Amino acid sequence: MKYGLYLLSLMLGGCLASCGSASEQAIEDTWTPIAYWEVIKGDSVMICDADKPEVETTLPLELIAEDYQVIKLDKEAEKHSIYSKVIIAENYIGLYSYNSAPFSLFKKDGAFMRYIGSFGEEKGQYDYVVNAQIDEANNRIHILPHNLNKEPFLLTYDLGGNFLQKIPLVCKLGAGSFNVDVNKGKVLAIGTEVRSQSDRYRVWEQDIEGNLIYGIYDDNEKNDDGMGNTNVSLFHTDAIETFADVSPSIYSNRKEKEYLYHLNQEERRLVPKFQLKTKETHNYELPSYYIVEATKHGGNAETQTPRIIVSKKTLKGARFNGFITPEGLLLNHYTLLAKTRNGYFSLLEKESRILERIQKTDKSKLTKEQRKKLEQLYQQLNSGKNDDTILFMAKFKK
């Protein structure tokens, strides 16, 4: 196979639900009520108690996602770690990390295409990539570089890696998110931290030239209810697909209360949607669930990190132990959803660690179909000579 790459034959398309796993309702029937609704300043907010879950659960990935694939990435992925960030588009995969390699563009089958930009201080170069957006429809890749002591900006390239322009930003984004709408000439930006008067907005919209359209202030100290924008955990807007389905968390330990907000663009305000009575958490929103993961300091993060799942519909929840793949493999990694972007679940892992997980899996608890698929995965991975980087990915159902 060309370049020694192969797409593991595990693409299940729209037939994922045929693996013999329980239905979503059947799984939730074992959960207990852990949340309730409360009206706060006119907004309905789901309040969740971290001490309430009485049962443990896993969730079959096929219940909430489709187009599941396991992909072996080209050797260029070795320059990144399994903790690198992933961004997935219709036909491309982007990989970026601290400063081990420039933004790396792969085809959907795992074949390496090219680097986008490079390290340096010249035009079109950067220290390292903090965040990125692949706009396949408009032949664009937008990169947020590390620019802590510089004027904030984005760098724009085409998919061929050619540098096109620098987009000045109204405020510094930190490790925040953004979406560039080339057709409308607008940028929606979501910052992580307001450090000075020049970085005064938590959320703002601007034009490509860097002119402010509107901004939402970080006015945490002006509020007496702990709902200041400093504690923004999640942004969501139906108008911008980038933030519409699933978004990683931004957490703060300044308050005992942590809220997840949606962005109401029409009213130009942040709307509180979910609150967990604890602090220092990674908060994630799926189409049907909220998942909250405690921040882990030391120890075995995979086995000792509390994680809670709660249903938006039933308000029932449980201690969440991870996703079960169609092969019956348990994915319970720390920050399990940290690489979830643009409606895709993604997880990087080294080949050797997957083989170890397969060997430790209790086959007696799997269906006949799962055992067959697990054996296929083991044989395909075990046939390689290198400890390659493997990408698990699936598209969340809306």
Side-chain angles (χ1 to χ4, degrees):
M1 300 179 182
K2 193 174 183 181
Y3 306 118
L5 298 172
Y6 52 87
L7 173 63
L8 302 180
S9 57
L10 299 168
M11 186 184 296
L12 306 181
C15 301
L16 285 173
S18 63
C19 292
S21 57
S23 69
E24 191 170 333
Q25 181 177 347
I27 291 175
E28 290 186 28
D29 283 344
T30 66
W31 301 359
T32 56
I34 64 171
Y36 59 91
W37 291 104
E38 183 174 314
V39 177
I40 301 177
K41 292 188 176 181
D43 294 312
S44 294
V45 183
M46 184 189 294
I47 312 296
C48 181
D49 191 337
D51 297 325
K52 283 290 185 69
E54 299 176 0
V55 297
E56 295 185 353
T57 190
T58 55
L59 197 66
L61 190 57
E62 68 262 25
L63 286 183
I64 58 174
E66 56 193 0
D67 297 332
Y68 169 76
Q69 299 177 50
V70 181
I71 298 173
K72 177 175 285 193
L73 298 176
D74 196 355
K75 62 180 180 180
E76 292 296 331
E78 295 176 5
K79 297 180 181 179
H80 299 269
S81 76
I82 60 172
Y83 304 106
S84 299
K85 296 180 181 179
V86 182
I87 184 167
I88 299 172
E90 185 176 354
N91 295 297
Y92 300 97
I93 298 167
L95 209 61
Y96 56 101
S97 51
Y98 178 59
N99 59 1
S100 54
F103 185 97
S104 303
L105 188 65
F106 297 81
K107 292 182 180 179
K108 210 62 171 288
D109 64 359
F112 176 73
M113 294 184 67
R114 62 184 60 88
Y115 292 124
I116 304 297
S118 60
F119 295 141
E121 298 183 357
E122 302 298 322
K123 184 177 180 180
Q125 293 184 317
Y126 45 77
D127 293 336
Y128 61 88
V129 180
V130 176
N131 211 331
Q133 173 194 357
I134 299 178
D135 182 2
E136 189 173 339
N138 292 291
N139 189 33
R140 295 287 189 275
I141 293 179
H142 307 285
I143 284 177
L144 171 64
H146 174 256
N147 54 4
L148 185 61
N149 299 315
K150 305 173 184 177
E151 290 300 313
F153 56 83
L154 302 175
L155 299 174
T156 300
Y157 309 79
D158 63 22
L159 292 172
N162 301 300
F163 176 67
L164 300 179
Q165 68 179 126
K166 181 166 76 171
I167 301 175
L169 293 173
V170 169
C171 298
K172 291 181 179 179
L173 272 173
S177 300
F178 66 90
N179 182 81
V180 180
D181 190 327
V182 173
N183 298 319
K184 293 183 179 179
K186 295 181 179 181
V187 179
L188 178 62
I190 300 168
T192 56
E193 185 175 357
V194 174
R195 300 188 177 190
S196 66
Q197 183 60 29
S198 62
D199 303 326
R200 57 197 178 279
Y201 299 116
R202 172 49 56 108
V203 181
W204 72 92
E205 189 175 59
Q206 64 171 69
D207 62 23
I208 296 294
E209 287 72 36
N211 301 305
L212 180 69
I213 298 174
Y214 75 86
I216 299 176
Y217 287 94
D218 186 326
D219 56 356
N220 182 64
E221 295 183 358
K222 297 179 182 179
N223 295 332
D224 57 7
D225 58 5
M227 290 182 60
N229 298 342
T230 300
N231 289 319
V232 170
S233 297
L234 173 82
F235 293 89
H236 174 289
T237 169
D238 293 327
I240 302 295
E241 185 178 354
T242 300
F243 307 116
D245 302 319
V246 186
S247 179
S249 66
I250 302 168
Y251 69 93
S252 167
N253 59 6
R254 298 187 188 182
K255 296 282 184 180
E256 288 291 335
K257 299 178 179 179
E258 290 293 333
Y259 288 84
L260 290 92
Y261 291 84
H262 288 188
L263 173 62
N264 186 318
Q265 285 192 300
E266 184 176 344
E267 298 179 6
R268 295 182 177 180
R269 74 181 184 97
L270 295 174
V271 182
K273 290 292 183 179
F274 177 80
Q275 183 240 320
L276 181 72
K277 293 182 178 179
T278 187
K279 64 178 182 177
E280 289 196 274
T281 58
H282 299 279
N283 304 298
Y284 307 96
E285 182 175 12
L286 305 183
S288 299
Y289 302 103
Y290 292 111
I291 294 178
V292 181
E293 185 176 58
T295 303
K296 180 63 182 176
H297 302 286
N300 189 329
E302 288 186 7
T303 60
Q304 300 176 15
T305 303
R307 193 186 287 126
I308 295 172
I309 185 169
V310 55
S311 169
K312 293 180 181 179
K313 183 178 180 180
T314 66
L315 304 186
K316 290 182 176 182
R319 294 187 296 276
F320 181 55
N321 292 333
F323 293 118
I324 300 295
T325 72
E327 308 91 1
L329 192 64
L330 174 64
L331 302 181
N332 64 342
H333 300 61
Y334 177 53
T335 58
L336 178 62
L337 291 164
K339 299 179 180 65
T340 301
R341 295 277 308 279
N342 299 338
Y344 281 93
F345 168 80
S346 60
L347 183 114
L348 292 172
E349 186 58 281
K350 297 304 290 185
E351 195 170 11
S352 59
R353 295 185 63 178
I354 299 174
L355 292 171
E356 183 180 349
R357 281 175 175 263
I358 292 175
Q359 291 174 332
K360 292 181 178 180
T361 299
D362 186 351
K363 315 301 191 298
S364 66
K365 295 182 179 180
L366 304 182
T367 66
K368 182 179 180 180
E369 184 67 19
Q370 286 175 328
R371 289 196 295 270
K372 178 181 177 181
K373 292 180 182 297
L374 192 63
E375 179 61 25
Q376 289 175 344
L377 178 60
Y378 182 83
Q379 294 299 330
Q380 289 169 321
L381 294 181
N382 202 34
S383 62
K385 297 181 180 180
N386 302 317
D387 193 11
D388 293 314
T389 302
I390 306 300
L391 173 65
F392 292 86
M393 75 177 203
K395 189 171 185 178
F396 283 107
K397 300 175 183 177
K398 297 183 180 180

